[in-house]
Every structure is written in structure tokens, then in C-alpha cells.
Amino acid sequence: MAEELRIGVFVCRCGTNIAGFLDTEDVAKYAKTLPNVVFTRENLFSCSEAGVTDIKNAITENKLNRVVVAACTPLTHEPTFRAACEDAGLNPFLFEFVNIREQCSWVHKALREEATQKAKDLIRMGVARAALLEPRESIVTDVIPSALVIGGGIAGLTAALALANRGFEVKLVEREKKLGGMLRDLHQIYPYEIGARGFISSKIKEVEENPKIEVLTGHSLEKLGGFIGNYQATVGSGEGSAKELKVGVIIVATGASLLVPEGSFSYNGEDVINQLQLEERLKNQAFDAQNIVMIKCVGARVKERLYCSRICCMTAIKDGILIKKQNPDANVHILYRDLMCYGVANEELLRQAKELGVRFVNYSLDSPPVVEDGKVKVQSNVLGRELEIESDLVVLITPLVAREGAAELSKLLKVPLDEYKFFLEAHVKLRPNDFATDGIYICGSAHWPVSTGEAIQQALGAASRASIHLTNKKVKVEPIVSVLFDEEACRGCGLCASLCPYAAIEMVETEKGTKAKMIEVACKGCGVCAASCYKQAIKMIHYSDEQLTAQIRAAFQKKEVESGVQA
């Protein structure tokens, strides 16, 4: 006997975000007229504790077996409402989310009547799909309690130590012969007045002495297979030897490189140097220049590189302070287009630099400084005239750029890069340490230029995210996946496997020939394989053709009825 459908619809006012632009009360009344809908409710904030409690109580009291919430984006609140359904004894996959904020009220702010009608249409479609939803159980797989950390700079070292100190095995892979990354070349870390050499040396010692961490310097990732909880990584030294590693999670902490300003402002590495070369001189106490001019944004915020590297300003200010403290009579000029001094501590460093006598000169991209023998000419935007500054040392402040090999690594990991080849996180606010691929995390300047303090914070965040799976020893994945439901129809062409962005399909030999095999725990339910299968041998769980067809028919149902056409 078929189950009697009892659908509950909850319409969220979202304060004035939704109710301010469409009639939510009218929408809720309309929802009650739809087939199989036995309960409707208008909530002020459905995602609030009171709203969630109301949904749970309504499920129990009205014996609801399907729930539709019309509110904002499922990206932020779908887990909340699914959990509410589960708490009330309803399978969480018998829940349907209808977005009437981003897809309705926010895009039709000046059309209240039309927005109200569109919200009704969207809910009608949601109810039609909800009627065909089926209960699903999450996919569970074991997790190998070991982590692979790629990169041995401060971010990688911090992440490795954080995981090892929690008792997990860590494989730390660094392609250079030594650990430490860029901090090995720095003199002092701002804004803490900490010597970089001593700081990174102590971190390296901690890592090398930790029995839970296996350090593989001079190695890089050559091959990667598997999925969250069960990755098989091959690392090699490029000398023919390779090592197989089995890990549950991966953290990418490959860092960034400093742009070498070849061809800019007569750069020669002697009297015109870059910032790392200045740090080296300060570190080795081989600095005796009297007139120092630092030129900022060399190679940054230009056509080739539109971004701001964020940390260059503070590094220049820090070095200016160090020079003035070492030699109060030194003349230090910082030529800048804009100053990036975010945070209280950084603002304090800027104030201190000015008090010590570091001079700041604002210039524009249209009129860049000119470096001549012993002089730098610059048009001051503040004074409105050209300045001629004596210089026996010019320091070019260049941005951090993505590491060489980032593109190759992204292909191995199947994670995205942005236009500048920095690694791209899953969501800038909601999942800043995650990749879209489950079980792989990002931290430090591999993601975007960051200071030492920020790299450490991000590394701890990535380690925290990774340790969730390692601690639980199992990972639960949503059952919204693709399945090969018609093995006879599969031709074994491999098109689906080649297009899958998550490496969730492999081609295997069976008694019936080559067939596609889905790795459910790796699948993200994107639907690329089902859409590309010309034999229609693949279908999507939770997004079946029948469900989508029902939504499409419901979208046009009102117009068909009005025109006399049978829906």
C-alpha cells in the first residue's frame, strides 16, 4: 500500500529580507492549496532556535513525512533543517529547500506582486519534487588515521605538529632539501619582534624530534589515488626512488615565492635589490647603507598582476624600523601607492616608523619613480611636486606569487586554482580551509599571501578540520551520488570518468566487458557523468529524472490550467 503523503510547508519571512519584498503570508496560504500539503506555517526566522523547534514540533504533531522550507540559500542552512527533520524522526533526505530569497525577493525588489507570484511558483515546484523524494542513508567509510602534509614551511610545520600532538601519524613532504620555507631567509617577524631564524629553527627541531612525524625532504607528490579517508599517495625524490603512503586526509601548505623584479628599476642585486636580499643583509649584519629608498608595488597591482600581496607594506615598514634603530641617522624613504596596514598591531608599527623618522611618499602608477645613479626621482601626490631623493640602496618591494608547480599539484589533487595559480578554497567564508574535494585542506600562502601569524592560524584551522575525520575514524558522506543503474547499456567508453572533477569514477574490467564503477564516497553528486552519458546508463540519486520532470511540469502548471490545457 502506497504511503499517504503528508507534506508540511514552512515559509520564512527572514525578517525583512524576504517579507520586505513579497507577501509571505499570501504565499503560505497558497501553499496550503497544493496537493498533499496538510500543514503550512509562516516563520519570522526559520533557522533560529524557535523556528527549528517549531518545525520539529510540527513534524511530530501533524505526522508529516515530507518537509519543504521556503527561505534563503541551502548552502548555509540546509544542514540545519535536515538535522531538524532527523531529530523529529524523519529521514533528512525527505526534506526539500526552496530558495525564495536569492532567487526571488533579492532579485525582484521593486516588483512585489511579481515576486510574490514567483515565490508561489517556486514552492509549487518544490512540493512537486518533495512528493517524489525517497529516504536515503548516509554513506560511511573508514578513515586511515594518518595525514599527508605537503609543504615544510611555517604553515606545514604548524599543521604537522598540531596533528601529531593529537596522536595522529603525519607524513610531511617538502620538495626542498631543508625545512623552513621562506622564514629561513627572513630576519625578523612582524609585528612581534621575533627573530625568524630562531623561531623557525625551534619549529623544525620540534618536528624532527616528534616520533609521530615522518619527514620526507627532497620529495614531491607524483601520484594520488583514492578518496577521503583512503588516499594512496606516491612521493618521489626525482632520483628513481618512490614511496607509497596511505593517508586519510591531506593538507596543502606549499607556500608562495617572492617575485624577482628582473628588468624593473635597474634591478641588479647590488645597489638595487629585492626585499629578501635586504632581509639577508639585515640578518647577517652586513648592512651599512645610509640612504635607503624602498619602492612598493613593483610588479603588483598592475595589468599582469592585479592583486595586492597584502604583507609587503608591513614587511617594508618593519625593515624601515629595524634600519632606523640600527642607525638613527639613516635616511629611509618608503615610496607607496597605498598602505595595507590592517589591524591594531600593524597600525602601531606604522606610527612607530613615522616617529623614528621613516619618510612616506605617495606616488601614482601613472607617474612611477625613476631610479638613476645615486638618486630616485618621484612625483609626490601629497606635495604636488617632484622630489629628488639621494640613495645608495634601492629596495624593490615585490609581491608573493604562486609556487612553481602549483598547476601540476592541482591536477594531481583535483583541486582548483584561481587566475593567479593560487589554490582556491571551497567557500571564502563558510569553508576557508577546505577544498571542494572532501578530505583535502589548504593553509598559508599557497592559498593567498599571508603573514607568518596568519599562516600559523590557518594551519591550526586546517589541522582542526582534518582532525575531525581522523578522530572519528569514519566519515559520513551524503548519499546524493551517481549510480550505474543500467550496466548493460554502459559501453565502457570512459567519458564519464574523464569528465568527473572528483575522480569518483573508475573503469573496471567485468565479465560483461569494461564498465564504469562509481566510488560513492568520493562522488559529490554534481551530475556531470549522468548528463554526459549518451547511453543514459547513469542516474543521480536524490535528483532523478522523475523528480526534475515533476518540477518542470509544476512550473508551467498554472499557465496550462489557465489556458485550458490539461497539466
Side-chain angles (χ1 to χ4, degrees):
M1 184 175 177
E3 176 188 34
E4 178 193 358
L5 289 173
R6 296 183 62 82
I7 302 175
V9 178
F10 300 84
V11 180
C12 183
R13 296 177 60 86
C14 198
T16 58
N17 278 306
I18 296 175
F21 306 102
L22 59 88
D23 191 341
T24 51
E25 183 180 1
D26 186 34
V27 171
K29 288 179 181 178
Y30 170 77
K32 202 163 189 177
T33 68
L34 296 172
N36 305 309
V37 174
V38 298
F39 180 84
T40 62
R41 178 68 58 83
E42 182 190 16
N43 297 116
L44 180 59
F45 290 104
S46 296
C47 62
S48 67
E49 184 176 351
V52 170
T53 300
D54 186 55
I55 291 172
K56 290 192 286 188
N57 291 339
I59 292 172
T60 304
E61 294 168 3
N62 297 278
K63 296 182 173 56
L64 303 180
N65 51 28
R66 301 289 189 282
V67 171
V68 176
V69 172
C72 56
T73 168
L75 186 63
T76 54
H77 293 309
E78 187 167 48
T80 300
F81 298 128
R82 280 189 181 170
C85 291
E86 193 167 23
D87 289 346
L90 183 65
N91 187 284
F93 295 96
L94 296 177
F95 165 78
E96 174 69 6
F97 207 135
V98 177
N99 188 341
I100 61 170
R101 189 181 72 179
E102 281 83 351
Q103 294 180 7
C104 195
S105 68
W106 278 4
V107 291
H108 305 298
K109 291 183 177 181
L111 303 168
R112 184 177 182 84
E113 184 177 339
E114 290 84 348
T116 300
Q117 182 57 51
K118 183 178 178 181
K120 292 178 181 179
D121 294 342
L122 292 172
I123 290 174
R124 186 171 67 252
M125 294 167 64
V127 169
R129 175 171 140 77
L132 296 175
L133 293 177
E134 297 177 356
R136 301 288 175 188
E137 295 301 325
S138 295
I139 301 165
V140 180
T141 186
D142 293 331
V143 174
I144 298 171
S146 176
L148 169 64
V149 177
I150 306 174
I154 185 59
L157 296 174
T158 301
L161 281 169
L163 291 172
N165 290 338
R166 295 198 63 182
F168 302 118
E169 298 287 340
V170 179
K171 316 296 182 183
L172 178 60
V173 176
E174 168 56 55
R175 69 176 183 176
E176 295 185 15
K177 297 295 184 182
K178 294 182 179 180
L179 297 174
M182 192 174 287
L183 276 190
R184 295 201 314 265
D185 302 320
L186 298 186
H187 174 48
Q188 195 175 93
I189 302 169
Y190 75 84
Y192 314 106
E193 296 187 6
I194 298 174
R197 179 185 296 173
F199 178 75
I200 197 63
S201 295
S202 66
K203 283 289 183 184
I204 293 172
K205 184 179 179 182
E206 279 187 73
V207 166
E208 292 178 337
E209 292 179 352
N210 194 305
K212 292 287 185 179
I213 302 175
E214 179 182 1
V215 178
L216 297 165
T217 52
H219 284 68
S220 58
L221 184 67
E222 295 181 346
K223 186 178 179 182
L224 182 70
F227 45 86
I228 179 173
N230 294 270
Y231 285 111
Q232 294 86 44
T234 302
V235 297
S237 61
E239 300 174 357
S241 62
K243 187 166 186 176
E244 302 294 327
L245 306 175
K246 291 187 176 182
V247 297
V249 295
I250 300 170
I251 295 178
V252 178
T254 50
S257 302
L258 189 71
L259 177 68
V260 178
E262 294 288 354
S264 298
F265 298 101
S266 303
Y267 171 76
N268 55 24
E270 296 177 1
D271 58 345
V272 182
I273 63 176
N274 66 25
Q275 206 156 20
L276 277 184
Q277 291 165 330
L278 172 62
E279 293 275 341
E280 185 70 21
R281 295 187 186 188
L282 289 170
K283 182 173 65 174
N284 296 329
Q285 298 182 344
F287 184 83
D288 57 3
Q290 183 67 26
N291 300 303
I292 304 97
V293 178
M294 301 184 192
I295 304 176
K296 283 185 23 60
C297 294
V298 177
R301 300 170 66 212
V302 293
K303 183 179 179 180
E304 297 79 13
R305 241 166 263 100
L306 295 176
Y307 64 88
C308 168
S309 193
R310 300 178 70 249
I311 63 172
C312 320
C313 289
M314 294 313 306
T315 305
I317 290 170
K318 171 208 69 175
D319 288 340
I321 291 173
L322 291 174
I323 292 169
K324 290 294 287 185
K325 284 185 175 180
Q326 178 180 313
N327 178 11
D329 295 328
N331 299 308
V332 181
H333 287 80
I334 296 180
L335 314 187
Y336 71 97
R337 287 167 56 196
D338 290 291
L339 285 175
M340 177 66 79
C341 304
Y342 52 92
V344 175
N346 290 344
E347 284 283 356
E348 175 59 26
L349 274 185
L350 175 62
R351 184 194 62 78
Q352 185 181 352
K354 291 179 177 179
E355 286 183 349
L356 289 172
V358 176
R359 303 293 181 88
F360 292 84
V361 180
N362 181 240
Y363 76 93
S364 68
L365 183 61
D366 296 332
S367 182
V370 176
V371 177
E372 298 177 341
D373 291 338
K375 294 179 181 178
V376 176
K377 294 180 180 179
V378 59
Q379 182 70 29
S380 170
N381 288 338
V382 175
L383 298 177
R385 61 183 177 86
E386 185 179 77
L387 302 180
E388 190 173 277
I389 306 170
E390 290 188 15
S391 66
D392 43 52
L393 182 66
V394 174
V395 183
L396 305 182
I397 312 299
T398 60
L400 291 183
V401 295
R403 285 273 188 190
E404 183 181 350
E408 289 75 14
L409 183 59
S410 75
K411 291 176 183 177
L412 286 172
L413 298 174
K414 287 187 166 51
V415 296
L417 299 174
D418 68 10
E419 60 184 309
Y420 302 110
K421 291 185 168 43
F422 287 103
F423 288 95
L424 196 61
E425 76 286 343
H427 192 284
V428 67
K429 291 184 178 179
L430 303 179
R431 297 174 63 193
N433 285 126
D434 298 18
F435 282 112
T437 302
D438 289 335
I440 307 182
Y441 305 91
I442 180 70
C443 61
S445 291
H447 172 222
W448 197 251
V450 295
S451 67
T452 301
E454 290 168 330
I456 292 171
Q457 292 164 9
Q458 290 182 12
L460 293 174
S464 177
R465 294 287 294 161
S467 66
I468 293 173
H469 304 305
L470 299 177
T471 301
N472 292 336
K473 297 181 180 178
K474 291 184 181 296
V475 62
K476 185 183 291 187
V477 180
E478 285 190 350
I480 304 175
V481 296
S482 63
V483 294
L484 182 68
F485 79 101
D486 190 345
E487 189 175 357
E488 293 290 340
C490 177
R491 300 294 297 274
C493 67
L495 179 62
C496 56
S498 65
L499 292 176
C500 178
Y502 304 102
I505 303 175
E506 58 183 356
M507 306 309 296
V508 298
E509 293 299 326
T510 70
E511 294 178 356
K512 298 179 181 180
T514 304
K515 302 292 180 181
K517 180 183 177 183
M518 279 58 182
I519 305 171
E520 290 185 333
V521 71
C523 179
K524 301 294 287 184
C526 68
V528 168
C529 56
S532 64
C533 181
Y534 58 91
K535 298 299 290 184
Q536 297 184 335
I538 301 173
K539 73 175 182 179
M540 298 304 303
I541 299 296
H542 200 65
Y543 286 96
S544 67
D545 290 348
E546 295 79 12
Q547 292 166 357
L548 296 176
T549 299
Q551 281 187 286
I552 294 169
R553 290 180 64 84
F556 296 99
Q557 185 178 33
K558 188 173 185 293
K559 291 181 180 180
E560 290 173 341
V561 172
E562 288 175 348
S563 63
V565 178
Q566 183 65 38

